[in-house]
Structures are given as structure tokens and as C-alpha cells.
Amino acid sequence: MSDKFMSKLRKWSRVIHRDLSYFFSGIIIIYAISGFMLNHKRDFKPNYTINTYDFNIEGPYPLLQEQFTKEKVLTILESYKEVDNYNRHSFSDDEIMTIFLKGGSTIKVDLTNGNGVYVQHKPRPIIRQFNRLHYNPHRGWTIFSDIFAFSLIVITITGLIMTRGKNGLWGRGGIEFIVGITIPLLFILLA
């Protein structure tokens, strides 16, 4: 290819690379943060923080299932400001009552001694919405994310073309490209 053609190609590659990079920088950051959170979902809950609180309901013991009408259960929830989140309560056997709350929080009470555990699930602000985008929530987002995926390919190709010489694809850049593509290929082949 002629030097004039390559010079024009590099120029247009810089323009396209720059403009697409600016346009998609927000979603790149969002996907990077949510990707990190979702990569570590075995280590922690990416969408929620979980807090556990112990408490005790006064006796006499054993407490009886009949004592726990919806109104009585709501009085337990008042101290945790969860009255509006009451979903239902049930008894797994004669000894354990579970209160189910909206959003996944639960309260379990041992009726033999009144000991209870409140497991509170609180949505992580902002991060939860980022993760939701990663799960592709609706058709409009699918179209945008498909355009974004295609644009990442264009950004990559233009990035490979725009630099010439010892730092370009036929120099240091080429070595970095080979190493960068080898790592995922090794994980694919060895997994």
C-alpha cells in the first residue's frame, strides 16, 4: 500500500478512534465496574450488602405459633423499620418461624428460646443499576449494546492502525497485541 494511503488511513483511524472512545467512555466505565463486581459474585453479593442482626423475643418459652398473628409479626418489624416490607411469614416446623420481607430480607425466630436473626439485604446504590445494564434489561438496551460491541471492534482496529513505527503494530504494539490475545486464548484452551 502507498504511503499516502496509509497516512490517510492513520489520520481517519485517529479521528474515528477518538470520537468513538469519547462517545462510549461512559458505558466502558459502567461495564468495567459492573464486570468487576460480577466477576467477584462468589466473594460478595454484587447487587446487595448483607447485614445480620441478632435479637431475642421475651418469653415465656416455648413461644407458640398461634401467638404470631400478622399484627404480632408487624410489631417485631417495627424496630427494624420493615413494616412496609412485610411479605408473609410461615413456620417450617414447630420451632422456627420465618418472616419474609420484600427485597429478600428475612427474619428467623427460634420459638423454643425466642432467639432471632434478621438478615437484611440492602441494594447497592448505583452499582446495582450498573449490573442491571450488564444483564441486558430490555430491547432498546440490546440495540445500544450491540452498537457498542461493534464499536469496540472498530476502536480496537483503529487503535492498531493509527500508530506507526517502533511503537506501532510492527513494533512494540504488535508484541503487546500478541501477548494480550494469547492470555484469553490460553484460558479458553486450558479451561
Side-chain angles (χ1 to χ4, degrees), residues 122-136:
K122 289 182 79 171
R124 290 184 192 273
I126 300 171
I127 300 295
R128 184 171 178 227
Q129 285 80 12
F130 285 6
N131 292 344
R132 185 169 181 268
L133 289 178
H134 225 120
Y135 287 125
N136 202 6

Side-chain angles (χ1 to χ4, degrees), residues 176-190:
E176 292 170 351
F177 174 74
I178 291 168
V179 171
I181 203 164
T182 301
I183 293 170
L185 288 175
L186 286 174
F187 274 95
I188 290 168
L189 295 173
L190 300 175

Side-chain angles (χ1 to χ4, degrees), residues 129-152:
Q129 285 80 12
F130 285 6
N131 292 344
R132 185 169 181 268
L133 289 178
H134 225 120
Y135 287 125
N136 202 6
H138 49 75
R139 182 79 179 133
W141 185 254
T142 300
I143 293 167
F144 179 79
S145 60
D146 286 348
I147 293 167
F148 171 60
F150 175 75
S151 295
L152 284 176

Side-chain angles (χ1 to χ4, degrees), residues 37-74:
M37 297 296 283
L38 295 172
N39 277 347
H40 293 278
K41 62 184 173 187
R42 283 187 224 114
D43 303 321
F44 55 84
K45 299 286 184 196
N47 291 324
Y48 298 92
T49 57
I50 299 175
N51 299 305
T52 304
Y53 305 97
D54 296 324
F55 66 93
N56 185 272
I57 297 174
E58 293 183 20
Y61 307 113
L63 300 167
L64 303 173
Q65 290 183 15
E66 297 79 37
Q67 292 176 263
F68 291 97
T69 61
K70 181 179 177 181
E71 291 72 30
K72 172 72 173 172
V73 169
L74 293 176

Side-chain angles (χ1 to χ4, degrees), residues 50-124:
I50 299 175
N51 299 305
T52 304
Y53 305 97
D54 296 324
F55 66 93
N56 185 272
I57 297 174
E58 293 183 20
Y61 307 113
L63 300 167
L64 303 173
Q65 290 183 15
E66 297 79 37
Q67 292 176 263
F68 291 97
T69 61
K70 181 179 177 181
E71 291 72 30
K72 172 72 173 172
V73 169
L74 293 176
T75 60
I76 296 170
L77 298 179
E78 282 177 2
S79 59
Y80 296 104
K81 298 181 174 70
E82 291 281 15
V83 172
D84 293 337
N85 291 323
Y86 172 83
N87 196 356
R88 66 184 175 87
H89 69 282
S90 65
F91 302 90
S92 54
D93 54 36
D94 289 341
E95 297 177 351
I96 304 293
M97 174 182 66
T98 305
I99 304 169
F100 298 94
L101 304 172
K102 295 173 188 165
S105 298
T106 58
I107 296 176
K108 292 191 179 215
V109 179
D110 184 337
L111 300 179
T112 62
N113 57 22
N115 290 333
V117 177
Y118 169 38
V119 179
Q120 179 189 50
H121 293 234
K122 289 182 79 171
R124 290 184 192 273

